[in-house]
Amino acid sequence: MRFQFVLGEVVSGLRRNTTMVVAVVLVTFVSLTFVGAAALLQAQIGKLKDDWYDLVEVSVFLCPEGSVSPTCATGEATDDQIDAVRQVIDTELSSQVSKVYFESKQQAFEAFSERYPDGYQGTQLTADDMQASLRLKLTDAEQFAVVSDVLSGRDGVEIVEDQRAVFEPLFRTLNVATLLAAGLAGVMLLAAVLLITTTIRLSAVSRRKETEIMRLVGASNLFIQLPFLLEGALAAVLGSLLAGGGLWLAVRFMVSDWLERSVDWVAYVSEVDVFRVAPLLVVMAVALAALSSFFMLNRYTRI
Amino acid sequence: MIRFENVSKVYARGARPALDQVSVDVERGEFVFLVGASGSGKSTFLSLVLREQRPTRGRVYVAGRDVANLSGWRVPTLRRQLGVVFQDFRLLQNKTVHENVAFALQVIGKPRHVIRDTVPEVLDMVGLAGKGKRMPTELSGGEQQRAAIARAIVNRPQILLADEPTGNLDPTTSLGIMRLLDRINRTGTTVIMATHDDEIVNEMRRRVVELSDGVVVRDEARGGYGEREAILPDVGASPVLDAPGSGTRAPVQTVRGS
């Protein structure tokens, strides 16, 4: 009885306020799309970084089997060569290097498998296709040149790589894009809150008589306010679902179908990531509606 | 049933109190007329009973509860024991008579079968049998007020508050409404009715509480409406309406010609 009655009130409220409700749906749709885009951009950054990225600045890749580099003439780096390199790091570079991690081929393979569970570009690799490396954390990231000078050309060292030089500009771009999306999302969210507030107020005013009678015959606060709450929440959730759908379409057609085919060596965000973000958007929508309702209802439908 | 203990209500700081040290005790099953000029505090009295307002000072007890100190979430429970009727009926225009009465039960969560049984019974009692499907606009003023009364009593309240229920009705129709209120009172419901209608008060001979400027000036067990001022003050033959306040002939103004 109660449930049916409340539902009827919600439906009639939505019908009475159709234009406003559509506006709420659209504004939440757009704002949450920006929120979702920001989240996906961050997810993309996460995908580009490997496990070492936040930990170290320099990767010293040790000679794999069959390398053509002159320092690798003796074939795969031996334990002795590795020990020698570590020795140099511990003595000559002790003031520049603060931490050293050793990643064996097996460990590299495990990390790799985790990032590319389906194999890389259609080939199944094994631990032997991996490359052992020393990962260095520097006391000062600017000291890369010194470290590179000392370690390059030693036996068993194939190449010394400044990790950040490769990805940093890209990450900066992605981070700026994230900020932009988040900023726009903020503005739109504010608009959404204001709009939901206005919608609820309109709805409350247009149902003033009903509300007054309800108060007088002793309907509980919750019962009086529930239809308004549900109206706002329903519109907002609809908007968030649209946002999720929009993001899914964008990832599906722009990233998976297009980007992944043109630039295929990068791990991109996938539809799975969208499904991870979408519930958050719904939760945000509900929170948004709850927040605005809270303000409104205390002013317009108090007992 | 209702007790006011030295109740004062001041709306704005420094303003004259709407009620000033009012003490009234209404027994269960009583029928009380609340009379007095507009602005004498009748509506404030009723809204304090309904806990739409809290008293500035003093205590208000309704059905054994200290209403002034009632916490907000208990107010609905209090109001379920009260029925209210207004001068302007306040029916929902987009609902039929039946739906209007049922609405009062729906919103307090009564089960459907209770509503199905109770509403026609109450409509029958107030004399609207067979008119449940009409819209409020299709009813006469008296019938609309009957519908409003049906809505007020459908949950069998212990107290019925009526704020000038006959104010919009002609004398004959008013009489019918008064008979209905009397009948409701005879079933044990306490009725408090604020009114300006001296004929009704004089005819019913029930308890009369008269307010004037927020003070109880009279509380009679079987009272009449009280003295009314004459419409035209007795100032002799002079045409007072032409010269307000003076009672003398207004000086003749000469119109200056050009």
Side-chain angles (χ1 to χ4, degrees):
Chain A
M1 178 73 233
R2 269 168 188 249
F3 179 72
Q4 207 172 23
F5 180 79
V6 171
L7 212 65
E9 291 288 301
V10 170
V11 169
S12 81
L14 289 176
R15 205 179 297 152
R16 224 179 307 196
N17 266 324
T18 316
T19 41
M20 287 303 281
V21 170
V22 170
V24 168
V25 171
L26 292 180
V27 169
T28 33
F29 164 41
V30 174
S31 56
L32 291 177
T33 303
F34 279 121
V35 172
L40 286 179
L41 280 168
Q42 284 304 307
Q44 181 62 60
I45 291 178
K47 293 228 171 200
L48 290 176
K49 288 178 182 176
D50 61 23
D51 299 340
W52 293 106
Y53 189 84
D54 284 323
L55 226 51
V56 302
E57 284 91 14
V58 177
S59 295
V60 180
F61 288 104
L62 301 171
C63 288
E65 218 163 320
S67 169
V68 291
S69 171
T71 50
C72 299
T74 54
E76 197 176 356
T78 62
D79 288 347
D80 286 342
Q81 286 171 333
I82 296 171
D83 282 343
V85 173
R86 295 196 79 149
Q87 191 68 37
V88 171
I89 294 170
D90 286 345
T91 53
E92 279 181 57
L93 293 172
S94 61
S95 60
Q96 280 88 13
V97 175
S98 67
K99 258 198 174 117
V100 183
Y101 304 93
F102 175 71
E103 189 186 42
S104 69
K105 288 200 298 189
Q106 187 56 39
Q107 285 165 335
F109 180 68
E110 279 161 16
F112 176 87
S113 307
E114 212 164 284
R115 281 181 73 198
Y116 300 96
D118 304 326
Y120 183 69
Q121 294 183 15
T123 52
Q124 281 299 336
L125 302 178
T126 63
D128 278 335
D129 297 314
M130 297 293 133
Q131 195 170 6
S133 60
L134 287 166
R135 309 278 184 155
L136 310 184
K137 177 157 187 62
L138 305 188
T139 44
D140 171 9
E142 304 296 313
Q143 297 287 317
F144 170 71
V146 180
V147 176
S148 175
D149 274 354
V150 173
L151 294 181
S152 295
R154 286 188 189 270
D155 284 344
V157 174
E158 187 184 35
I159 192 167
V160 180
E161 208 174 76
D162 183 358
Q163 292 229 108
R164 306 206 163 223
V166 183
F167 280 119
E168 202 66 12
L170 182 60
F171 287 162
R172 214 170 293 139
T173 316
L174 287 177
N175 273 327
V176 167
T178 305
L179 274 182
L180 208 67
L184 281 173
V187 174
M188 293 302 288
L189 284 177
L190 185 66
V193 168
L194 294 177
L195 202 59
I196 296 176
T197 326
T198 314
T199 308
I200 291 177
R201 182 166 60 198
L202 273 182
S203 193
V205 168
S206 72
R207 247 183 285 168
R208 215 175 29 225
K209 277 192 156 183
E210 275 92 340
T211 314
E212 198 196 339
I213 301 295
M214 284 166 123
R215 287 189 315 115
L216 283 174
V217 299
S220 65
N221 243 336
L222 181 72
F223 199 84
I224 296 175
Q225 298 179 348
L226 204 58
F228 298 104
L229 289 171
L230 289 179
E231 262 170 53
L234 219 63
V237 166
L238 202 59
S240 71
L241 291 179
L242 281 178
L247 288 173
W248 181 80
L249 283 177
V251 168
R252 175 95 176 70
F253 291 108
M254 280 174 59
V255 179
S256 301
D257 278 7
W258 178 67
L259 258 183
E260 215 154 83
R261 278 188 201 159
S262 10
V263 189
D264 62 356
W265 53 272
V266 183
Y268 287 108
V269 287
S270 63
E271 288 143 58
V272 177
D273 295 290
V274 176
F275 287 125
R276 226 168 270 160
V277 170
L280 291 179
L281 296 184
V282 176
V283 169
M284 273 191 84
V286 172
L288 216 64
L291 187 79
S292 354
S293 309
F294 179 75
F295 283 129
M296 261 320 63
L297 293 174
N298 274 336
R299 276 178 56 188
Y300 285 90
T301 57
R302 213 176 347 205
I303 285 207
Chain B
M1 206 58 182
I2 297 176
R3 184 147 99 222
F4 276 49
E5 285 179 1
N6 298 316
V7 174
S8 295
K9 175 70 190 174
V10 184
Y11 283 108
R13 190 178 290 272
R16 190 177 58 78
L19 285 183
D20 195 1
Q21 298 281 328
V22 169
S23 294
V24 174
D25 211 334
V26 178
E27 297 294 328
R28 183 184 292 273
E30 256 191 303
F31 193 118
V32 180
F33 284 113
L34 208 54
V35 303
S38 296
S40 58
K42 302 192 298 292
S43 298
T44 301
F45 187 97
L46 294 181
S47 71
L48 285 174
V49 175
L50 274 169
R51 172 56 163 73
E52 288 188 305
Q53 317 268 355
R54 285 170 192 262
T56 314
R57 272 183 304 279
R59 286 179 183 282
V60 177
Y61 295 93
V62 176
R65 289 164 217 263
D66 181 354
V67 174
N69 294 322
L70 202 63
S71 59
W73 62 273
R74 289 192 176 188
V75 172
T77 332
L78 166 79
R79 294 202 180 137
R80 284 176 200 193
Q81 300 180 22
L82 303 170
V84 204
V85 183
F86 301 95
Q87 181 174 3
D88 55 359
F89 320 138
R90 301 202 192 170
L91 296 171
L92 300 173
Q93 299 299 325
N94 55 351
K95 292 188 191 301
T96 65
V97 170
H98 183 283
E99 285 166 350
N100 262 288
V101 178
F103 185 76
L105 293 178
Q106 284 169 337
V107 300
I108 56 172
K110 291 280 180 193
R112 202 189 307 232
H113 66 92
V114 171
I115 296 173
R116 203 176 40 221
D117 293 346
T118 326
V119 176
E121 230 170 74
V122 172
L123 285 178
D124 197 25
M125 180 190 171
V126 300
L128 289 176
K131 295 193 173 162
K133 291 201 173 125
R134 303 270 190 96
M135 300 304 278
T137 44
E138 297 167 350
L139 298 180
S140 70
E143 286 171 329
Q144 288 191 47
Q145 191 59 293
R146 283 169 190 271
I149 292 172
R151 181 178 62 192
I153 62 168
V154 70
N155 194 32
R156 313 218 180 286
Q158 302 181 44
I159 300 168
L160 180 64
L161 303 175
D163 194 357
E164 304 198 28
T166 58
N168 276 357
L169 305 175
D170 64 71
T172 323
T173 314
S174 298
L175 204 68
I177 294 296
M178 288 318 298
R179 289 206 181 110
L180 177 56
L181 290 179
D182 186 47
R183 223 170 64 235
I184 291 165
N185 175 237
R186 282 174 203 281
T187 63
T189 310
T190 311
V191 179
I192 300 199
M193 172 171 161
T195 187
H196 285 299
D197 196 328
D198 54 344
E199 265 181 53
I200 285 174
V201 177
N202 290 335
E203 197 160 324
M204 297 272 294
R205 289 291 152 188
R206 297 300 185 93
R207 181 173 168 193
V208 175
V209 173
E210 184 175 349
L211 287 167
S212 174
D213 289 339
V215 180
V216 177
V217 292
R218 185 161 63 102
D219 189 345
E220 271 181 279
R222 289 183 171 276
Y225 189 86
E227 290 300 305
R228 250 195 201 287
E229 269 181 70
I231 292 172
L232 294 179
D234 189 10
V235 289
S238 21
V240 280
L241 296 177
D242 287 347
S246 67
T248 54
R249 188 173 291 272
V252 178
Q253 287 204 312
T254 48
V255 180
R256 282 191 195 130
S258 54

